[in-house]
Amino acid sequence: MANIVIIGAQWGDEGKGKIVDMLSAESQVIERFQGGANAGHTIKAGGRETVLHLLPSGILWPDALCLIGNGVVLDPEVFLEEIDALQAEGIDASPRRLAVSAKAHLILPYHKALDKAREAKRAGSKIGTTGRGIGPCYEDKAARIGLRAGDLARPDLVRAKIRHALLEKNILLTGLYKFDAIDADRTADALLALAPRLLPYITDTDALVHKAIQENKAILFEGAQGVHLDIDHGTYPFVTSSNTVSAGACCGTGVAPSAISEVIGVAKAYTTRVGSGPFPTELNDDTGSYLQAQGHEFGATTGRPRRCGWLDAVILRESVRLNGIDRLALTKLDVLQNLPQLKICVAYELDGKRMDYPPQGEGELAAVKPVYETFPGFEDDISGCRKYGDLPEEARAYIERIEELTGVPAGYISVGPGRDQTIIRQVA
Ligand code: IMP
């Protein structure tokens, strides 16, 4: 069966939740492999809207096994809150069908405090993080002082690790950032109080996913954020702290590259970005405001307005190269309806030179000039289109140019938030 990695091909918020939810209908296992509660995956189904920050989007399908891999940084409170919210809606989020890797690192209050303290201190060059403690938790992982989910079974180890971490962090928090110190014993008590609820979920997810592979089950690996927020390949330093590229699915779950059969890159039909950082096609004008209003472009995690701009085929081309994207899922095409003209950035210019791929040096992307092609817009309401041929000719021309520029077919075209508002194309 197909083992599919789904990643965001832009700067996050591409509508991955909807595509994962749709493909979950045909999958037996859905596993998240990186990021944490900084994600915001919105799913509209059965007349209700569900926003998930941490749990895999497949949780809404009752028969799917949902896993949180070792590459995720898990906020225990958010995890339990999401479970409670789902259970209140009658959705089973019990350990029968939801499991967390014992190797996943835990986000603690001091990670969130440090995230906020650093941002407050970064005069003029804020990353615009979600404040969810993501960066500081991955730092502890790399520094080899992190607390992992499996440690919860050993209260003495939890206490010792928290005390050790806070020795250093309290100096930073109080001395440098002028924040309050965090009490180690109280932090450990609060976490250990949650342990009886958390422990039944914590297990060897590597074994579960490998068993699923051996049994020829269909597995979806659900990415969070987007390629250009990748810690290595993104617009550093305005990035998140994990590998958001498709290869992250292997490191973040313990599955080998040879087990992956397909990569789907989800891209909005235009571009958005939350937080700081270069954005060559950003529109600080009425068209940008129109896209923001029509697309309800406000962050699902922080509520911040998303910056909006034209589709950038240069960053998409790089996403295809970095991820081995086989098919694109193009989302929110309906948001473009009624615009008189559409533009696609087909290349950049930097110091008089034309570039087909983004420059690699820090800060250089901020200096490029987008080269645009202009297309006629479409006025028809496309939200009811269910077949590719139903789309107006102008919309098809726009899609086909994106396919030409990126070299990959658009296998899914989303024309509204509903599960059924998706055109599925048979592509080679
Ligand atoms: P962090 O992941 O909270 O450290 O934030 C780092 C950068 O990634 C900031 O610019 C955030 O706005 C951005 N970011 C993090 N998660 C998401 C997401 O799910 N969608 C879009 N942007 C995100």
Side-chain angles (χ1 to χ4, degrees):
M1 293 289 273
N3 296 331
I4 301 173
V5 181
I6 299 187
I7 47 99
Q10 294 157 320
W11 278 287
D13 308 316
E14 296 91 351
K16 294 177 290 295
K18 170 176 164 163
I19 304 297
V20 172
D21 170 68
M22 194 183 84
L23 295 179
S24 295
E26 295 144 29
S27 310
Q28 283 92 49
V29 180
I30 296 100
E31 180 158 17
R32 263 197 68 178
F33 56 89
Q34 45 71 229
N38 48 349
H41 294 166
T42 307
I43 304 148
K44 271 205 174 139
R48 73 177 165 217
E49 184 176 280
T50 309
V51 181
L52 296 167
H53 299 288
L54 188 56
L55 301 189
S57 302
I59 197 83
L60 301 188
W61 292 91
D63 298 325
L65 172 66
C66 291
L67 305 177
I68 296 185
N70 58 278
V72 170
V73 283
L74 185 118
D75 185 325
E77 283 172 16
V78 176
F79 179 71
L80 293 176
E81 272 164 28
E82 287 195 354
I83 288 172
D84 289 343
L86 288 171
Q87 306 266 42
E89 297 257 354
I91 297 162
D92 179 11
S94 69
R96 187 188 71 80
R97 56 179 302 249
L98 174 63
V100 174
S101 166
K103 295 189 280 192
H105 280 248
L106 297 180
I107 296 190
L108 290 156
Y110 47 82
H111 296 128
K112 290 185 251 189
L114 272 174
D115 196 0
K116 290 182 186 130
R118 290 220 181 97
E119 280 288 275
K121 196 84 177 169
R122 273 180 199 266
S125 63
K126 292 189 195 310
I127 310 280
T129 72
T130 57
R132 298 292 175 107
I134 306 297
C137 186
Y138 279 116
E139 281 171 39
D140 279 3
K141 176 176 176 174
R144 291 154 293 179
I145 57 164
L147 194 69
R148 305 202 292 181
D151 296 343
L152 286 174
R154 297 166 62 192
D156 290 350
L157 182 65
V158 169
R159 287 188 189 283
K161 281 193 173 187
I162 290 178
R163 262 188 227 124
H164 178 73
L166 276 170
L167 277 181
E168 196 179 39
K169 292 185 203 311
N170 272 335
I171 294 173
L172 283 177
L173 282 171
T174 58
L176 182 62
Y177 298 120
K178 313 296 175 212
F179 270 51
D180 292 338
I182 293 178
D183 184 82
D185 286 333
R186 256 186 273 151
T187 305
D189 289 344
L191 179 63
L192 289 169
L194 302 178
R197 282 201 67 198
L198 293 167
L199 280 167
Y201 289 95
I202 298 166
T203 186
D204 177 358
T205 50
D206 299 14
L208 295 176
V209 75
H210 279 283
K211 184 166 175 280
I213 292 170
Q214 272 159 5
E215 291 171 353
N216 217 16
K217 291 189 169 157
I219 305 168
L220 274 190
F221 297 94
E222 175 181 3
Q225 292 82 50
V227 172
H228 298 278
L229 288 171
D230 182 279
I231 183 77
D232 288 294
H233 304 288
T235 45
Y236 194 87
F238 302 102
V239 293
T240 191
S241 298
S242 63
N243 281 116
T244 58
V245 291
S246 59
C250 296
C251 306
T253 62
V255 159
S258 52
I260 307 294
S261 40
E262 189 179 6
V263 179
I264 295 178
V266 186
K268 235 176 238 183
Y270 47 100
T271 313
T272 62
R273 177 163 200 170
V274 206
S276 322
F279 181 177
T281 61
E282 183 169 13
L283 291 166
N284 291 307
D285 60 9
D286 289 349
T287 309
S289 309
Y290 178 85
L291 291 173
Q292 194 182 71
Q294 291 297 113
H296 309 290
E297 295 296 354
F298 295 89
T301 301
T302 58
R304 290 179 290 177
R306 296 180 185 139
R307 300 153 66 194
C308 296
W310 294 121
L311 187 103
D312 185 341
V314 182
I315 65 150
L316 279 189
R317 208 179 273 133
E318 177 158 79
S319 296
V320 169
R321 185 164 79 171
L322 285 167
N323 296 279
I325 292 173
D326 298 293
R327 271 191 284 180
L328 285 173
L330 215 51
T331 60
K332 295 184 109 168
L333 186 68
D334 53 307
V335 172
L336 297 181
Q337 70 202 20
N338 293 323
L339 280 169
Q341 279 190 335
L342 304 175
K343 289 188 184 186
I344 298 178
C345 166
V346 296
Y348 296 150
E349 262 177 30
L350 184 64
D351 301 329
K353 272 203 308 227
R354 191 179 159 107
M355 311 180 77
D356 291 328
Y357 286 89
Q360 300 289 313
E362 184 167 321
E364 284 178 349
L365 189 62
V368 303
K369 221 174 119 231
V371 178
Y372 286 114
E373 277 179 17
T374 303
F375 300 81
F378 48 95
E379 280 178 10
D380 322 33
D381 176 3
I382 62 166
S383 60
C385 293
R386 294 293 176 271
K387 290 203 289 285
Y388 188 65
D390 295 344
L391 288 172
E393 195 186 331
E394 295 82 358
R396 281 183 277 133
Y398 182 75
I399 294 166
E400 284 158 29
R401 185 65 180 130
I402 296 169
E403 294 180 318
E404 261 169 27
L405 289 164
T406 57
V408 282
Y412 303 94
I413 296 149
S414 170
V415 292
R419 258 183 190 161
D420 61 326
Q421 289 178 293
T422 313
I423 296 168
I424 302 175
R425 275 166 88 206
Q426 293 310 320
V427 290

